């Protein structure tokens, strides 16, 4: 079911949102992006005569309730953003919570306490999910960020609603639609740009792209494990020695796969891991002892940019270097610039995964790409070709 096919008049919508926002020492919300991205769904349901029950996790509580992880701290900011009162249930299940949710009228908003105060949530427990389901007549999943988890509130709960009483929220639907533009309906040439620190976290996405993409551009610290696997000198660059065999296997596969897989031909190397380090340009497979590659080099930037500008579909996950340091952000910045240029010329570009999103925001290119995903781990798993339990649970 699509959200727009459901009648919310006089109904209570139980919405799984991703309100896992950062809080400071004073327990104030320091970045409300995740709350704001759920507004289209919440406002749509309220405008269509429904009442809303919001449920989420926050942080990683270990043993039951802990004030620092209480969703109570979000009541004020949420009320301000929604411009209406927000009721709060101090326990996500239990008599008082059910009393509050059963008394809701059209236009009312109720926020439930942190789901992860119950261990049953992460275990995907049936009876916990069944209790949560009592809060709503309709179940809406808008938490793309946790769609890769088979938790009670993201997956199991869907079984307690009829097919015509459950749907994706607007954010979740947009995430999936955009991800599908890359995976299912991509216009060629399709270029996947994969960077970041470690091969271990990106190897599955590279493997899944080998026969889908036309080009795979590999940057960031992970490139040096590949160079070492080929027998190159990588100095003190980041290397995962236990992934050398895996890197060799992938390099072998690149000989016969569809994609043209390109590593950065040169690197900007530093004599220590610091913004103030001495730096010099070196071939990526010949980094002197004592030096480490912290960014892709000028030749690699040119080569990558050219390919990107000629692409029609672009997926970007992971920075090209240590973009947090001003002196080693150029590769990431220039790649973001090339993606923006390709997008302006009609390409579809999707940026997904924690640090590339941070990089694109920091560098100010977030409004120059087609879509920035909110789901770090979930987006990564989607592009690894895995089934997302939160998505599967709602598919008819
Ligand atoms: P990931 O979370 O795997 O996407 O990795 C992002 C992190 O990788 C960022 O914090 C970058 O600073 C780091 N990174 C990127 N390139 C390098 C590099 N050449 N050496 C060390 N760290 C890097």
């Amino acid at each position: 079911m699509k959200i727009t096919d459901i009648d919310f008049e006089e109904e209570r919508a139980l919405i799984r949102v991703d309100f896992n926002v950062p809080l400071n020492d004073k327990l104030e919300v320091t970045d409300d992006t995740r709350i704001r991205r759920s507004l289209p769904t919440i406002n749509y349901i309220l405008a269509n005569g429904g009442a809303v029950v919001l449920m989420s996790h926050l942080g990683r509580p270990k043993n039951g309730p802990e004030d620092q992880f209480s969703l109570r701290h979000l009541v004020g900011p949420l009320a301000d953003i929604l411009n209406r009162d927000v009721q709060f249930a101090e326990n996500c299940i239990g008599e008082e919570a059910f009393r509050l949710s059963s008394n809701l009228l059209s236009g009312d908003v109720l926020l439930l306490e942190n789901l992860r105060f119950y261990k049953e949530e992460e275990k995907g427990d049936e009876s916990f999910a069944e209790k949560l389901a009592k809060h709503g007549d309709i179940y809406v999943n808008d938490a793309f960020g946790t769609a890769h988890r088979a938790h009670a509130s993201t997956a199991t709960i869907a079984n307690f609603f009829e097919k015509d009483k459950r749907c994706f929220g607007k954010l979740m639907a947009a995430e999936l639609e955009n991800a599908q533009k890359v995976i299912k309906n991509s216009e060629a040439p399709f270029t996947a740009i994969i960077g970041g620190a470690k091969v271990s976290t990106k190897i599955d996405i590279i493997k899944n792209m080998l026969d889908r993409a036309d080009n795979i551009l590999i940057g960031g610290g992970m490139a040096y494990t590949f160079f070492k696997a080929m027998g190159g000198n990588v100095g003190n660059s980041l290397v995962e020695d236990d992934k050398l065999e895996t890197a060799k296997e992938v390099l072998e596969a690149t000989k016969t796969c569809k994609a043209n897989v390109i590593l950065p031909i040169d690197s900007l190397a530093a004599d220590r891991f610091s913004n103030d380090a001495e730096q010099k340009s070196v071939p990526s497979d010949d980094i002197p002892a004592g030096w480490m590659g912290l960014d892709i080099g000028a030749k690699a930037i040119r080569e990558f940019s050219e390919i990107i500008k000629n692409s029609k579909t672009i997926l970007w996950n992971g920075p090209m270097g240590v973009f947090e340091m001003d002196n080693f952000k150029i590769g990431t910045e220039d790649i973001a610039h090339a993606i923006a240029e390709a997008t302006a010329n009609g390409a579809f570009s999707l940026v997904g995964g924690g640090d590339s999103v941070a990089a694109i925001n920091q560098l100010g290119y977030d409004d120059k790409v087609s879509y920035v995903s909110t789901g770090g781990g979930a987006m990564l798993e989607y592009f690894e070709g895995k089934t997302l339990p939160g998505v599967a649970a709602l598919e008819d």
Side-chain angles (χ1 to χ4, degrees):
M1 269 287 183
K2 282 199 179 125
I3 192 167
T4 45
D5 294 334
I6 295 181
D7 183 5
F8 287 95
E9 189 68 41
E10 307 272 310
E11 303 275 26
R12 295 168 309 151
L14 174 60
I15 315 178
R16 176 49 160 110
V17 284
D18 180 3
F19 280 178
N20 186 25
V21 292
L23 301 177
N24 62 16
D25 294 351
K26 292 186 197 141
L27 301 173
E28 295 159 340
V29 175
T30 53
D31 180 352
D32 62 9
T33 310
R34 286 190 169 146
I35 300 178
R36 291 187 183 279
R37 296 212 54 173
S38 68
L39 288 183
T41 299
I42 299 173
N43 285 332
Y44 175 84
I45 293 170
L46 293 173
N48 282 281
V52 158
V53 180
L54 301 167
M55 57 175 175
S56 178
H57 73 285
L58 174 64
R60 293 174 186 269
K62 297 237 155 43
N63 288 308
E66 264 180 90
D67 185 51
Q68 58 167 320
F69 299 122
S70 173
L71 279 158
R72 171 185 293 286
H73 310 304
L74 274 67
V75 172
L78 179 60
D80 289 345
I81 292 171
L82 285 173
N83 205 13
R84 63 174 81 209
D85 284 344
V86 172
Q87 303 177 43
F88 183 67
E90 295 185 5
N91 185 343
C92 62
I93 52 173
E95 227 171 275
E96 174 63 5
F98 295 127
R99 189 187 65 77
L100 288 170
S101 61
S102 60
N103 285 336
L104 294 176
L105 302 172
S106 289
D108 285 349
V109 178
L110 170 68
L111 176 65
L112 303 180
E113 183 54 289
N114 196 339
L115 297 165
R116 289 198 190 164
F117 285 171
Y118 285 85
K119 284 204 169 13
E120 290 85 344
E121 162 64 358
E122 290 182 78
K123 288 186 179 142
D125 185 84
E126 289 262 343
S127 89
F128 180 64
E130 187 172 12
K131 286 181 193 141
L132 287 175
K134 284 201 226 161
H135 285 299
D137 309 304
I138 296 161
Y139 168 68
V140 181
N141 190 353
D142 211 20
F144 186 69
T146 42
H148 56 316
R149 309 280 185 223
H151 293 173
S153 69
T154 60
T156 322
I157 195 168
N159 298 328
F160 299 100
F161 292 85
E162 297 296 328
K163 279 187 179 166
D164 59 350
K165 298 281 181 196
R166 59 189 204 199
C167 65
F168 294 129
K170 286 179 173 267
L171 171 63
M172 184 102 155
E175 293 276 359
L176 292 170
E177 202 178 295
N178 282 290
Q180 277 167 5
K181 279 191 201 162
V182 170
I183 273 285
K184 298 213 171 110
N185 322 313
S186 60
E187 196 183 334
F190 165 26
T191 299
I193 309 155
I194 315 286
K198 293 184 170 175
V199 178
S200 49
T201 56
K202 303 290 167 77
I203 200 76
D204 286 337
I205 187 170
I206 294 178
K207 282 185 184 164
N208 195 39
M209 290 297 150
L210 288 174
D211 284 312
R212 291 180 187 276
D214 298 293
N215 306 293
I216 301 177
L217 311 179
I218 297 179
M222 57 187 280
Y224 303 104
T225 300
F226 287 101
F227 284 114
K228 185 163 180 185
M230 289 186 289
N233 300 318
V234 294
N236 282 348
S237 304
L238 199 65
V239 165
E240 285 173 279
D241 282 314
D242 59 339
K243 293 289 167 223
L244 289 171
E245 278 313 306
T246 315
K248 278 184 196 158
E249 281 166 26
V250 170
L251 289 166
E252 193 53 38
T254 64
K255 292 179 187 160
T256 51
C257 72
K258 170 183 169 188
N260 186 18
V261 180
I262 307 176
L263 288 157
I265 186 157
D266 60 345
S267 290
L268 190 59
D271 63 351
R272 65 205 147 93
F273 192 79
S274 160
N275 189 44
D276 306 321
E278 287 293 316
Q279 48 169 269
K280 62 178 169 188
S281 287
V282 293
S284 297
D285 62 353
D286 199 11
I287 298 179
W291 290 71
M292 59 186 84
L294 292 188
D295 198 1
I296 56 173
K299 287 184 199 148
I301 291 175
R302 268 199 302 279
E303 186 180 16
F304 284 12
S305 298
E306 209 46 46
I307 292 170
I308 291 166
K309 286 183 207 164
N310 287 317
S311 301
K312 283 277 170 243
T313 305
I314 299 161
L315 168 66
W316 185 22
N317 178 290
M320 296 291 101
V322 186
F323 72 97
E324 298 93 335
M325 296 184 194
D326 268 353
N327 290 332
F328 301 100
K329 71 173 187 192
I330 299 160
T332 303
E333 195 160 34
D334 286 357
I335 291 314
H337 186 78
I339 297 172
E341 217 176 298
T343 311
N345 286 329
F348 175 78
S349 55
L350 187 149
V351 182
D355 268 336
S356 31
V357 174
I360 203 129
N361 288 336
Q362 182 190 312
L363 301 170
Y365 282 93
D366 46 323
D367 57 351
K368 297 184 180 69
V369 296
S370 309
Y371 192 73
V372 179
S373 169
T374 54
M379 195 48 103
L380 198 58
E381 289 201 17
Y382 185 88
F383 287 120
E384 286 169 356
K386 294 184 181 142
T387 301
L388 305 182
V391 174
L394 286 181
E395 268 164 355
D396 296 328

